[in-house]
């Protein structure tokens, strides 16, 4: 939390409405992707397929729009992500494959499938539907980022669910102590399967919004958000070992990272430095959490 | 005294605020078999870890052949001549036997010799340890230790659950070690073995060495007295007892829970008993007699290999704890780390079972939940000052939370596994009182506790388990601590008659000429169980 | 392993059949893979009768970096860890070699090669040290470090470039003896054998298996657990450097963007019979698995299947194999 304050102070020159709306426009898809990481990390898991799944949603939507119209296209995109999430969930929850391996494998599968799909879709062309583009990437009154219309209710729903909904509580329970959850009668696999489906859907939503922001669609569109999505959740105070954290912190984390990225761009800091920084942040924060948890 | 081969003095070790060892000492003479005794929680296992170099002591010295050494790793302890053999095999499962030998720098030829001597024939050294049966692995562990001719051999519960013929071989190996002028530290729950093989015994209580004595006729009673401490000398009757629910309560209708011929894991051999509504039934057992497996099965956390469970007369099978909970069986484990969400609040911990079934996945009825939780918190008098994270609560309060979780939902059958381990005396009393209240209100409570002196306070009836079988059953009212401990060790009740001692000693140690080890096998037929026929406790030794 | 404690001497393995039978039994998976490879090769010949020595050579060259990555991954997984940064390590060592060799003389490449190998060893040791010191799970540490090393690679070379000494490229170019024995394969076998065979026979190698199999038992047997883990990561780094160098050899340049080697290496070791929980498996299995995967890719191409499907197939193979493996472990534990 200290970091935000520091950044805000260090960065006063850039604080104007247009810059801010730009930051928010990029921060929204990142924050949604980070929601996937937050929710899965609460259970002690992780979802590394979000980038591939998000790209898939955006790409399916864009390529299906010409033939099917925007509504069906969006639905198709989200259905595909739910399916990917379901497979993840079955792998993690039923077969007990380590979430990292499972979701990495899933990202490979999704990427491969999409590349094949891409070659079959060359002719159809891709369109980001206007409505989606307006909602996901547009601004109103020069400064209001329209994607907030989606994001604010969504974020409120997630924050509320984690506190006041049985399923949200179970995520913490499973991540904090799976044995205790089991002994209390929780069928852990049900929780995990549901969770990864939700994670897939959220990733799809993030992909569609990001597609609208950039007005492009490609099978690797969201790839560069993978590590930041993990970093945002970790910075936001969600323990990578499960049981601790929440979504509001993650939103702040996503904002910090977007600001940081924009700052590094302004300072002409090259991409590699950013990568190293992100990697180091995750490592340091994870190590710090380990210390804290070990001591008690 | 300088004639000790191994001497440990003033050894202390604390984990955080908990002192596992305060002032432990041990002197082992050359050519003796030395028993290390202590009740559950006396600090025995910590002492063993320190002796073997797995844990570094906070204070104290350990000398071997008069030379002091700071043993900081098992490897170092090994090289200085102390070789441990643990209850669980410590061969690396994926390496073959030969590789395991070279890992510990054990010469192969003497190892082979010992394997044969210990009664395992035709062993292929290229077999991965994983593929060998448990009993063979134990023997290999022992042979590996003997092969390097250690100055001190430490056998930690080596004979537990070992087949009778192998136990005999182990005893022979111990005698060989003694005849060669080397020493053995022998740890066992079986008094018969202690009496049969050991020369002297060191007794630990509450992390301190409270006595060293020569093992001779009737020493068992002395050892038990030492292990119990001063409390045991005061008569049980002086303690105040809450009113006991009369046994007649169990009269009509089927018992709440009925267990028949339950077998599970390696340790639970054959257990049967009934648990009635309105009673607190105590389970008494030494560590590792199958009670863990019993509770796991009843809580739905493990599946039995054989046997039958009935709840209210209807047969049940549990595939998941959720099944047991639906049948009204709720479980309070000993290890609070297994029951609690340590990083979550008191509220969430208590409310956890509400959300567990699919029907509880939706929005939470906040006011209703608060009412139920507050009721439970009030009833158990949980100190909620540090309620935002359960791990900040004291152990006693943590344990109350695990119970409150089930009280909040209305309890029918409560399974408590050593719920008072490591918590303060006042909370203990409160918990026992609560169990009594719950029983009075019609719940059935099954209680295992390692604190025997608490049994008469909390229970109506007691079932004693030894070697995975029910060996005794008695009303709790008359069960003072010595009686229970003797029963738990599979010893007969009351004072031993000399005839019994002699008869058993002759049977067990007939061939043994050594006067020190010769014949104090304290075995008699255990008292007939009240309801269940019990096998002779000594039959497995 | 499910034999009850009650059965004693009788079940002490009196299995007969001699050394050969035992070798076959204990390496059944590897033999199966070898058979699968043979079948796949025959299938390939059937699909494309012209498939011959030249294709085999390019297959070996293409598979070389993956094989090195798989070997490295196998070693760290056997000792109970996992290295998700191996792809990045390949990229980093690859660009380091390319950058240092660009414009240099043929002879100057020798110290560069040695330096890069040392760099791999060092970076691997850093991975291991951070795993041991931070007490964070291996999988998280190496995931975070994968981004650090990838970033470092981009710092060394912004875009694909640099150079490679001719003799290095020549090292994997041709065949030795028969035209059926590609140099790339020989290089692989020789370098793996040079490092692994002495290691395998040493106490360190034994310790790696022991730590991976059962930390507590290893500790009680006198194994220094932490140094063993660091050493395993270091050796993995060394093989990653070999993989990076082999990338230089086959492409002649350095590419700062990590290829899919991390995933492929995990897929290969799982398919190659190395248990992800550690302690079990060898190096031959993973190497065979790499070639099986490569041949599948080739066959799919010959069958005019979209080449991108190979990614899918590899992903599916990996996930399915891991699932089956995890499921088997689960069954064993509950049994």
């Amino acid at each position: 939390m200290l970091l935000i304050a520091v950044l805000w102070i260090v960065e006063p020159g850039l604080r104007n409405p247009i810059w801010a709306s730009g930051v928010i426009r990029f921060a929204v898809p990142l924050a949604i992707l980070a929601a996937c990481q937050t929710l899965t990390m609460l259970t002690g898991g992780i979802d590394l397929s979000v980038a591939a799944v998000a790209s898939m949603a955006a790409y399916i939507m864009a390529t299906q729009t010409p033939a099917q119209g925007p509504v069906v296209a969006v639905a198709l995109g989200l259905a595909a992500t739910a399916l990917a999430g379901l497979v993840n969930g079955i792998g993690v929850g039923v077969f007990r494959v380590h979430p990292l391996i499972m979701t990495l494998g899933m990202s490979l599968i999704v990427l491969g499938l999409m590349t094949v799909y891409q070659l079959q879709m060359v002719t159809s062309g891709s369109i980001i539907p206007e409505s989606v583009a307006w909602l996901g990437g547009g601004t109103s009154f020069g400064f209001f980022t329209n994607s907030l219309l989606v994001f604010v209710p969504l974020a409120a729903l997630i924050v509320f669910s984690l506190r006041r909904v049985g399923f949200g509580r179970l995520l913490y329970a499973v991540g904090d102590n799976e044995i205790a959850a089991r002994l209390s009668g929780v069928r852990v696999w049900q929780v995990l399967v549901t969770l990864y489906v939700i994670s897939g859907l959220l990733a799809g939503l993030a992909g569609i919004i990001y597609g609208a922001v950039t007005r492009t669609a490609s099978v690797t569109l969201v790839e560069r958000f993978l590590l930041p999505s993990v970093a945002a959740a970790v910075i936001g105070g969600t323990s990578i070992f499960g049981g601790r954290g929440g979504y509001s912190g993650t939103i702040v984390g996503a904002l910090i990272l977007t600001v940081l990225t924009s700052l590094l761009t302004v300072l002409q800091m090259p991409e590699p430095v950013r990568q190293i920084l992100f990697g180091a942040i995750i490592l340091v924060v994870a190590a710090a959490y380990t210390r804290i948890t070990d001591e008690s | 005294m300088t004639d000790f081969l191994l001497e440990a003095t003033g050894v202390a070790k604390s984990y955080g605020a908990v002192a596992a060892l305060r002032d432990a000492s041990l002197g082992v003479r050359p050519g003796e078999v030395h028993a290390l005794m202590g009740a559950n929680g006396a600090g025995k296992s910590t002492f063993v870890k320190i002796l073997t170099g797995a844990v570094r002591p906070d204070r104290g010295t350990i000398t071997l052949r008069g030379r002091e050494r700071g043993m900081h790793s098992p490897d170092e302890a090994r090289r200085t001549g102390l070789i441990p053999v643990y209850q669980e095999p410590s061969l690396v499962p994926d390496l073959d036997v030969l590789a395991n030998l070279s890992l510990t720098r054990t010469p192969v030829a003497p190892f082979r010799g010992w394997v044969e001597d210990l009664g395992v024939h035709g062993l292929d050294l290229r077999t991965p340890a994983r593929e060998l049966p448990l009993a063979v692995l134990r023997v290999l562990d022992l042979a590996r230790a003997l092969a390097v001719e250690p100055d001190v051999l430490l056998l930690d519960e080596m004979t537990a659950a070992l087949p009778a013929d192998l136990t005999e071989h182990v005893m022979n190996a111990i005698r060989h070690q003694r005849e060669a002028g080397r020493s053995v530290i022998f740890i066992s729950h079986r008094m018969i073995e202690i009496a049969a093989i050991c020369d002297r015994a060191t007794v630990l209580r509450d992390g301190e060495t409270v006595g060293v004595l020569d093992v001779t006729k009737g020493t068992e009673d002395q050892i038990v007295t030492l292990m119990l401490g001063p409390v045991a000398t005061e008569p049980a009757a002086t303690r105040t007892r809450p009113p006991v629910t009369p046994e007649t309560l169990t009269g009509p209708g089927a018992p709440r829970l009925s267990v028949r011929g339950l077998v599970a894991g390696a340790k639970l051999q054959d257990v049967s008993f009934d648990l009635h509504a309105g009673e607190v039934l105590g389970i008494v057992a030494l560590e590792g007699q199958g009670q863990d497996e019993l509770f796991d099965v009843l809580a739905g956390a493990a599946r039995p290999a054989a046997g039958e469970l009935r709840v209210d007369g209807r047969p049940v099978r549990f595939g998941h704890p959720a099944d047991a909970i639906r049948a009204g069986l709720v479980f309070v484990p000993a290890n609070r780390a297994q029951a609690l969400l340590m990083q979550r609040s008191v509220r969430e911990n208590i409310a956890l079972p509400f959300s567990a079934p699919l029907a509880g996945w939706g929005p939470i009825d906040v006011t209703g939940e608060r009412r139920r939780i507050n009721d439970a918190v009030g009833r158990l008098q949980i100190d909620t000052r540090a309620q935002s994270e359960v791990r900040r609560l004291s152990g006693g309060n943590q344990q109350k939370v695990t119970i409150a979780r089930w009280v909040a939902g209305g309890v029918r059958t409560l399974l408590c596994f050593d719920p008072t381990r490591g918590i303060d005396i006042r909370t203990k009393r409160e918990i026992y009182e609560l169990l009594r209240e719950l029983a009075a209100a019609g719940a059935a409570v099954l209680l295992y506790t390692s604190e025997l002196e608490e049994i008469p306070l909390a229970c109506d009836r007691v079932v004693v388990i030894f070697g995975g079988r029910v060996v005794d059953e008695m009303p709790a009212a008359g069960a003072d601590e010595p009686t229970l401990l003797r029963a738990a060790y599979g010893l007969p009740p009351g004072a031993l008659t000399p005839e019994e001692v002699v008869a058993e000693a002759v049977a067990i140690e007939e061939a043994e000429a050594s006067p020190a080890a010769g014949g104090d096998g304290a075995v008699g037929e255990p008292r007939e169980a009240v309801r269940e026929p019990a096998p002779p406790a000594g039959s497995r030794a | 392993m499910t034999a009850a404690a009650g059965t004693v001497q009788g079940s002490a393995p009196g299995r007969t059949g001699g050394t050969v039978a035992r070798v076959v039994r204990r390496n059944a998976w590897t033999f199966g893979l070898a058979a699968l490879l043979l079948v796949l090769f025959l299938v390939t010949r059937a699909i494309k009768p012209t498939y011959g020595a030249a294709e085999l050579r390019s297959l070996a060259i293409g598979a070389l970096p993956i094989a090195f990555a798989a070997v490295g991954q196998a070693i760290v997984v056997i000792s109970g860890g996992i290295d998700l940064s191996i792809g990045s390590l390949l990229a980093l060592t690859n660009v380091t070699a390319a950058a240092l060799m660009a414009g240099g003389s043929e002879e100057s490449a020798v110290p560069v090669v040695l330096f890069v190998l040392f760099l791999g060893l060092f970076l691997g040791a850093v991975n291991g040290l951070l795993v041991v010191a931070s007490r964070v799970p291996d999988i998280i540490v190496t995931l975070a470090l994968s981004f650090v090393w990838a970033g470092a690679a981009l710092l060394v070379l912004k875009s694909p470039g640099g150079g490679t000494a001719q003799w290095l490229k020549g090292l994997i170019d041709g065949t030795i003896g028969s035209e059926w024995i590609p140099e790339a394969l020989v290089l692989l076998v020789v370098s793996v054998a040079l490092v692994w065979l002495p290691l395998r026979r040493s106490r360190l190698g034994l310790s790696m298996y022991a730590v991976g199999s059962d930390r507590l038992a290893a500790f009680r047997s006198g194994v220094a657990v932490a140094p063993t883990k660091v050493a395993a990561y270091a050796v993995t780094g060394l093989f990653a450097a070999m993989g990076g160098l082999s990338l230089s050899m086959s492409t002649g340049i350095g590419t700062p963007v990590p290829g899919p080697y991390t995933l492929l290496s995990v897929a290969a070791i799982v398919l190659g019979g190395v248990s992800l929980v550690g302690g079990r498996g060898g190096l031959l299995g993973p190497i065979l698995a790499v070639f099986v995967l490569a041949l599948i890719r080739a066959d799919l191409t010959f069958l005019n299947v979209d080449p991108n499907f190979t990614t899918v197939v590899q992903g599916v193979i990996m996930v399915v194999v891991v699932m089956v493996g995890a499921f088997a472990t689960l069954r064993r534990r509950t049994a």
Side-chain angles (χ1 to χ4, degrees):
Chain A
M1 298 307 115
L2 200 72
L3 201 67
I4 334 161
V6 173
L7 272 169
W8 248 235
I9 294 159
V10 167
E11 199 52 31
L14 287 172
R15 293 182 61 192
N16 63 63
I18 291 159
W19 178 79
S21 86
V23 165
I24 290 172
R25 225 164 41 187
F26 281 92
V28 164
L30 176 60
I32 300 177
L33 278 187
C36 305
Q37 307 300 358
T38 308
L39 298 184
T40 48
M41 274 163 59
L42 284 179
T43 64
I46 195 166
D47 189 348
L48 293 185
S49 69
V50 287
V53 167
S55 309
M56 169 172 80
Y59 194 73
I60 290 182
M61 173 198 69
T63 48
Q64 290 295 328
T65 301
Q68 312 280 350
V71 178
V72 177
V74 168
L76 279 176
L78 289 180
T81 63
L83 188 67
L86 181 67
V87 177
N88 274 337
I90 291 174
V92 174
V94 179
F95 289 90
R96 313 303 298 183
V97 179
H98 194 290
L100 211 143
I101 303 276
M102 186 66 215
T103 54
L104 267 181
M106 180 50 67
S107 76
L108 207 66
I109 294 173
V110 166
L111 187 65
L113 283 175
M114 288 325 290
T115 323
V116 176
Y117 173 79
Q118 181 181 34
L119 294 175
Q120 262 141 38
M121 280 290 148
V122 250
T123 48
S124 73
S126 66
I127 301 168
I128 306 286
E130 264 320 301
S131 50
V132 173
W134 180 84
L135 196 60
T139 49
S140 303
F141 321 114
F143 66 90
F144 181 78
T145 312
N146 295 341
S147 56
L148 286 178
L149 290 177
V150 178
F151 181 71
V152 172
L154 178 75
L157 179 69
I158 294 176
V159 171
F160 174 79
S161 298
L162 287 179
R163 288 189 191 156
R164 292 288 168 82
V165 170
F167 180 72
R169 292 261 187 93
L170 290 185
L171 296 184
Y172 287 101
V174 167
D176 187 305
N177 191 342
E178 194 177 319
I179 298 170
R182 202 174 113 84
L183 286 179
S184 298
V186 180
R187 291 181 197 269
V188 175
W189 69 270
Q190 294 175 342
V191 178
L192 291 178
V193 170
T194 313
L195 165 68
Y196 280 89
V197 170
I198 292 175
S199 177
L201 282 171
L202 286 175
L205 185 62
I208 289 171
I209 292 179
Y210 191 64
V213 172
T214 57
R215 292 201 171 242
T216 52
S218 85
V219 294
T220 55
L221 181 72
V222 196
E223 210 56 58
R224 52 184 290 259
F225 272 4
L226 177 56
L227 188 67
S229 74
V230 178
V234 170
I235 293 171
T238 299
S239 161
I240 205 148
F241 310 110
R244 233 195 309 191
Y247 190 49
S248 31
T250 303
I251 299 173
V252 177
L255 269 176
I256 292 176
L257 285 183
T258 316
V259 172
L260 194 66
T261 310
S262 126
L263 184 74
L264 293 176
T265 317
V266 173
L267 294 176
Q268 296 190 316
M269 199 72 89
E271 165 74 17
V273 177
R274 218 169 65 202
Q275 272 195 30
I276 295 178
L277 216 60
F278 284 168
I281 288 174
I282 294 185
L283 188 58
V284 168
V285 175
Y289 275 124
T290 314
R291 290 286 127 115
I292 294 169
T293 346
D294 274 7
E295 266 159 34
S296 51
Chain B
M1 290 246 264
T2 49
D3 62 338
F4 286 130
L5 188 55
L6 170 89
E7 188 173 21
T9 43
V11 178
K13 174 77 190 175
S14 297
Y15 293 100
V18 184
L21 275 186
R22 296 168 211 277
D23 179 18
S25 57
L26 174 69
V28 182
R29 294 185 186 133
E32 81 165 345
V33 181
H34 195 113
L36 182 58
M37 307 289 298
N40 298 343
K44 218 168 41 185
S45 58
T46 308
F47 199 25
V48 168
K49 280 182 191 159
I50 288 171
L51 288 173
T52 56
V55 165
R56 199 180 289 218
D58 298 337
R59 268 185 291 119
T61 55
I62 296 164
T63 55
L64 207 106
R65 292 196 185 281
R67 262 176 314 163
E68 183 174 341
R69 47 182 199 173
M71 288 186 297
H72 297 320
S73 75
D75 201 27
E76 230 176 304
R78 234 167 222 293
R79 268 175 294 175
T80 46
L82 188 147
I83 309 272
V85 179
Y86 299 95
Q87 182 177 2
E88 68 273 28
S90 30
L91 261 62
V92 175
D94 289 310
L95 295 181
D96 62 26
V97 178
L98 214 51
N100 267 295
L101 292 181
S102 85
L103 204 58
T104 45
R105 303 184 179 95
T106 308
V108 177
F111 171 79
R112 266 186 194 285
W114 273 115
V115 170
E116 292 283 328
D117 283 357
L118 290 169
V120 173
H121 306 289
L123 174 76
D124 180 355
L125 293 185
R126 283 284 175 194
T127 316
R130 185 181 290 287
E131 292 172 11
L132 291 168
L134 193 65
V136 172
L137 286 177
R138 291 254 179 82
V139 168
L140 297 192
D141 265 338
L142 180 60
R144 185 166 69 160
L146 290 167
V148 297
E149 306 196 338
D151 284 345
V152 181
L153 179 68
L154 191 154
L155 302 180
D156 187 1
E157 292 287 351
M158 165 79 200
T159 53
L162 207 62
D165 50 342
L166 277 184
T167 306
E168 200 43 52
H169 285 299
V170 171
M171 293 296 159
N172 284 333
I174 292 174
R175 283 173 204 127
H176 171 94
Q177 175 87 359
R178 173 165 58 197
E179 278 150 25
R182 297 187 293 264
S183 316
V184 178
I185 300 173
F186 188 75
I187 300 169
S188 172
H189 275 320
R190 297 187 185 167
M191 281 293 187
I192 304 149
E193 291 173 0
I194 303 286
I197 197 85
C198 293
D199 303 315
R200 294 195 306 143
T202 292
V203 181
L204 283 181
R205 187 178 69 234
D206 296 332
E208 285 175 45
T209 295
V210 292
V212 181
L213 34 91
D214 290 331
V215 178
T216 52
K217 252 177 221 172
T219 322
E220 301 90 328
D221 288 317
Q222 260 178 290
I223 292 177
V224 168
T225 313
L226 274 173
M227 289 197 300
L228 289 173
V231 188
T233 56
E234 79 188 51
T238 60
R239 269 167 279 166
T240 53
R241 271 187 52 80
V244 177
T245 322
E247 288 267 318
T248 49
L249 242 176
T250 63
R256 179 63 60 74
L257 170 68
S258 168
V259 178
R260 286 292 172 273
L262 202 62
V263 180
K267 287 179 182 155
L268 193 67
Q269 302 293 339
D270 175 14
V271 163
S272 306
F273 61 85
D274 286 331
L275 172 65
H276 299 273
E279 78 166 338
V280 180
L281 175 62
I283 298 278
V284 169
L286 302 169
E287 240 162 73
Q289 303 300 314
Q291 65 270 38
D292 306 68
E293 288 80 358
L294 170 67
F295 275 77
D296 279 352
V297 168
L298 295 181
R303 284 177 211 205
E308 193 194 32
L309 297 181
R310 282 171 183 269
V311 173
D312 296 326
R314 278 187 302 277
V316 287
R317 278 176 174 279
F318 303 146
H320 188 279
D323 299 332
I325 292 166
R326 204 175 317 121
L329 269 61
V330 298
F331 178 45
V332 176
N335 186 352
R336 293 184 285 278
Q338 264 186 20
L340 291 174
L341 316 173
M342 286 293 176
Q343 309 170 67
R344 309 307 303 168
S345 67
V346 169
R347 179 170 304 275
E348 271 188 62
N349 269 284
I350 295 178
L352 178 56
F354 301 156
S355 307
L358 278 174
W361 282 21
I364 291 163
D365 163 20
V366 181
T367 41
E369 185 190 271
R370 183 170 304 147
R371 185 169 39 77
R372 287 163 89 177
I373 290 172
N374 288 346
D375 280 355
V377 166
R379 186 157 175 199
L380 274 92
Q381 298 161 18
I382 296 172
D383 181 350
T384 50
R385 273 173 300 179
Q387 62 170 320
S388 67
E389 274 191 45
V390 161
R391 64 190 175 125
R392 292 182 207 277
L393 298 181
S394 70
N397 270 309
Q398 286 183 354
Q399 194 63 55
K400 285 180 178 176
V401 172
T402 66
I403 300 174
R405 168 184 294 166
W406 301 119
V407 172
V411 101
R412 264 178 68 77
T413 310
L414 186 63
L415 312 167
C416 288
F417 192 90
D418 216 359
T420 54
R421 185 184 291 177
I423 63 181
D424 62 283
I425 186 80
R426 216 196 61 184
T427 313
K428 259 181 215 173
R429 294 292 149 98
E430 284 173 4
I431 288 178
Y432 290 134
E433 228 133 83
L434 176 81
L435 296 185
R436 294 245 47 101
E437 271 172 38
L438 291 174
V445 179
L446 187 68
L447 170 70
Y448 164 76
T449 174
S450 55
E451 321 217 9
L452 298 179
E453 73 270 23
E454 311 285 345
I455 288 271
L457 281 179
C459 303
D460 300 313
R461 202 156 55 92
V462 181
V463 165
V464 183
I465 298 180
F466 182 72
R469 293 166 205 275
V470 174
V471 293
D472 207 346
E473 184 184 324
M474 59 183 93
D480 59 0
E481 211 181 344
T483 314
L484 289 171
L485 196 62
R486 299 182 62 82
Y489 269 101
L491 295 172
L496 278 178
T497 61
E499 290 85 350
E500 273 179 304
V501 175
V502 174
E504 283 305 320
V506 169
I508 287 176
E509 284 294 306
E510 222 166 14
E512 194 52 41
S514 165
D520 302 294
V523 174
E525 286 299 303
R527 188 175 61 181
E528 272 305 300
V530 178
R531 286 181 196 170
E532 306 293 335
S539 64
R540 292 165 49 75
Chain C
M1 58 175 303
T2 47
T7 59
V8 194
Q9 286 90 337
S11 42
R15 287 186 213 159
T16 47
T19 323
V20 179
R22 182 173 51 219
V23 168
V24 171
R25 195 175 62 235
R26 284 180 62 183
N27 298 293
W29 187 270
T30 313
F31 280 99
L33 268 181
L36 177 63
L37 190 60
L38 194 68
V39 169
L40 270 175
F41 186 72
L42 294 177
V43 167
T44 314
R45 291 279 286 207
I47 297 169
K48 192 178 177 184
T50 56
Y51 195 88
E55 284 78 9
L56 194 66
R57 212 182 64 215
S58 60
L59 182 83
I61 293 174
L64 194 56
I66 310 173
F68 276 123
V71 165
Q73 193 68 268
I75 290 172
V76 73
V77 169
I78 284 171
S79 56
I82 192 166
D83 189 350
L84 295 182
S85 74
I86 201 162
S88 302
L89 282 179
L90 244 71
L92 180 52
T93 48
N94 171 229
V95 292
T96 309
L100 291 176
M101 281 192 238
S105 66
E106 291 288 297
E107 300 77 49
S108 69
V110 176
V112 171
V113 168
L114 291 178
F115 171 75
V116 168
L117 290 178
F118 175 77
L119 179 71
L121 203 64
F122 172 76
L123 293 177
V126 170
N127 277 351
L129 279 173
L130 285 173
V131 165
V132 169
S134 69
R135 286 181 284 164
V136 174
D138 305 57
I139 214 158
I140 307 276
V141 173
T142 54
L143 177 70
L145 286 171
S146 76
F147 289 91
V148 174
W149 304 142
L154 277 168
L155 286 183
V156 176
L157 271 187
K158 268 204 189 62
S159 56
T164 305
Q166 282 304 321
W167 65 267
L168 266 176
K169 286 194 241 177
L171 219 54
I172 59 166
D173 228 355
T175 54
I176 286 177
S178 149
E179 58 164 352
W180 288 96
I181 305 177
E183 278 179 359
L185 191 61
V186 175
L187 179 72
L188 174 69
V189 170
V190 168
S191 22
V192 171
L194 271 180
V195 178
W196 183 240
L197 289 187
L199 184 65
R200 177 75 221 256
R201 286 166 193 286
S202 72
R203 185 173 165 82
L204 177 62
L206 210 53
S207 302
M208 286 179 184
Y209 274 91
V211 169
S213 177
D214 185 336
R215 278 178 82 110
L216 180 64
F219 178 66
R220 284 178 171 175
S221 296
V223 172
V225 175
T228 304
K229 284 206 87 162
V230 175
Y233 274 97
V235 175
T236 298
L238 178 66
F239 278 108
M242 291 183 192
L245 284 171
S246 68
L247 273 176
S248 292
M249 295 177 199
S250 57
T251 61
I253 56 166
T255 312
V257 179
Y261 298 112
T262 300
L263 278 177
L264 288 179
S265 69
V266 173
I269 62 153
V270 169
L271 186 58
V274 175
S275 159
L276 277 177
V277 288
R280 258 188 286 186
L283 294 192
L284 189 58
I287 292 176
L288 288 173
V290 166
F291 283 94
V292 166
L293 290 174
L295 258 182
I296 289 177
R297 184 203 297 263
D299 285 354
L300 290 174
T301 318
F302 298 143
L303 287 170
N304 285 327
V305 174
D306 192 298
N308 292 295
F309 252 124
T310 27
T311 326
V312 184
V313 170
Q314 276 161 349
V316 169
I317 288 179
M318 176 174 138
V319 167
V320 167
V321 171
V322 177
M323 268 192 192
V324 170
F327 196 63
T329 322
L330 214 66
R331 289 295 296 271
R332 189 160 349 105
R333 208 172 297 154
T334 49

